[in-house]
Amino acid sequence: MSSVIATTRFSVLDRSRIRAGHSGPQALRDTVALAREAERLGYHRFWVSEHHAVPGVAGSAPTVLAAAVAAATTGIRVGTGGVMLPNHQPLVVAEQFGVLESLFPGRIDMGLGRSVGFTDAIRTALGRDKKDADDFAAQLAELLGYFDATRTAHPRVHARPAEGLTVPAFLLATGKGAQLAAEAGLPLVIANVRGEDAMLRAIDDYRDAFRPSAQSERPYVVVSGAVAVADTTDAAREILLPEAWSTAYSRTRGEFPPLSPAGEIRPAAMTGRERTLFEEALRGQVHGTEEEVADVLDKLLARSGADEFLVTTSTYDRAALLDSYRRLARIAGLTGRPETAAAGRSAAETRS
């Protein structure tokens, strides 16, 4: 294990992806079970996401799901990756995270994004519009102000029980996210959706423009992406096929379908555009044997200077997914702690 990997935190984001032939409720239960395993393996934090009216995603209420995850675990940090702030009133978001932090003190993260609903119909149902994302900076300031009583909006309104509590906030780098994270002095979560070079430039710009804040004294970078580890390179690539096909499908038909087995995707006939999008979805994803993945991660972490890697792998085969996370934990030198439950109880008792 390299010194770069050894000094990097590793965490998990699970999107509660629905599998073909399985239900949404099962996907949510799978997320909670994965959180328990991530804690056992020694991952630093476990996050859940927000998607509305998406056929292939069950995770529509991230703060509710985060509460279930936190209740089922004892020490791992739990949060959202993220709550899409333009979809909500900042007061309600502050109240929700205030409740979470009150119930699970010292374990809650508030990951935030600036996306709005996936389609016009969803945005209408949410009572939102694309332009609502333009007010993200003001929404963010209002939200954070409910915790430390510094907001100027609605000065006579107090978020209970959030006011006075400390919940670390993270900003997802969609659109202007990196710039906003730097200006607000918040940790940055970023993926190479536009290519690694673009991601590295955004990280450099974030560090250059970062303003220390009460939330964070220095820049903190979380690089996110899919990682698949298996006995062979081909077996690891198989893990990534269901999500890649779902992505290609969504870009040609406008909706994410449930995940199909890799064995059905390999022989499937694809149009030229579907094949291009499918290969693009696989590009830049980290996969291979333990030795291969260790080498790729070592170089990526060295180039980015990331403080943390947030693994976002989804697939149809749950056994292969769990095995991949176990292998990655071995690569990262994570130490599962059997005493986690007792330590978590002790810390909670001390804080209360």
Side-chain angles (χ1 to χ4, degrees), residues 88-333:
H88 310 279
Q89 293 297 332
L91 172 63
V92 175
V93 176
E95 290 171 336
Q96 290 173 343
F97 278 96
V99 170
L100 282 171
E101 175 62 21
S102 298
L103 292 173
F104 309 101
R107 293 181 57 202
I108 301 301
D109 299 322
M110 184 168 59
L112 305 165
R114 64 187 296 271
S115 297
V116 289
F118 187 57
T119 66
D120 288 338
I122 295 171
R123 288 189 287 271
T124 299
L126 290 169
R128 294 294 185 267
D129 190 83
K130 283 185 177 180
K131 63 178 174 32
D132 288 306
D134 297 335
D135 298 326
F136 183 77
Q139 296 162 0
L140 178 63
E142 180 181 343
L143 170 61
L144 298 179
Y146 281 120
F147 287 90
D148 61 15
T150 61
R151 75 201 173 284
T152 55
H154 313 295
R156 298 177 62 185
V157 177
H158 298 268
R160 313 290 188 194
E163 191 168 294
L165 298 180
T166 300
V167 179
F170 296 73
L171 211 57
L172 278 61
T174 54
K176 300 177 181 178
Q179 176 187 338
L180 291 171
E183 292 173 354
L186 295 179
L188 172 71
V189 183
I190 188 168
N192 67 342
V193 291
R194 294 182 177 85
E196 186 177 311
D197 288 343
M199 180 186 75
L200 295 177
R201 285 194 299 272
I203 290 173
D204 288 341
D205 291 344
Y206 162 74
R207 290 194 176 108
D208 289 342
F210 184 84
R211 302 175 186 171
S213 70
Q215 283 273 342
S216 187
E217 295 181 354
R218 66 172 186 86
Y220 189 91
V221 175
V222 182
V223 169
S224 68
V227 179
V229 196
D231 275 334
T232 67
T233 306
D234 288 342
R237 188 176 185 273
E238 291 264 304
I239 294 173
L240 301 176
L241 297 185
E243 184 69 28
W245 169 240
S246 183
T247 299
Y249 186 101
S250 74
R251 291 179 179 173
T252 55
R253 295 171 176 81
E255 65 177 36
F256 278 91
L259 298 176
S260 300
E264 295 180 7
I265 295 168
R266 272 185 279 104
M270 298 185 194
T271 66
R273 176 163 170 72
E274 286 172 342
R275 175 63 63 181
T276 297
L277 292 170
F278 177 68
E279 295 297 337
E280 285 180 356
L282 288 170
R283 195 172 302 134
Q285 309 287 28
V286 179
H287 73 280
T289 63
E290 291 183 35
E291 293 77 11
E292 290 169 338
V293 168
D295 182 61
V296 173
L297 284 177
D298 183 57
K299 292 173 180 175
L300 174 59
L301 293 171
R303 288 193 297 269
S304 64
D307 301 280
E308 186 171 338
F309 195 99
L310 181 66
V311 187
T312 61
T313 312
S314 298
T315 195
Y316 180 90
D317 188 335
R318 297 297 295 182
L321 180 67
L322 291 172
D323 181 63
S324 176
Y325 272 114
R326 293 179 189 122
R327 291 173 181 271
L328 179 58
R330 191 156 56 227
I331 292 169

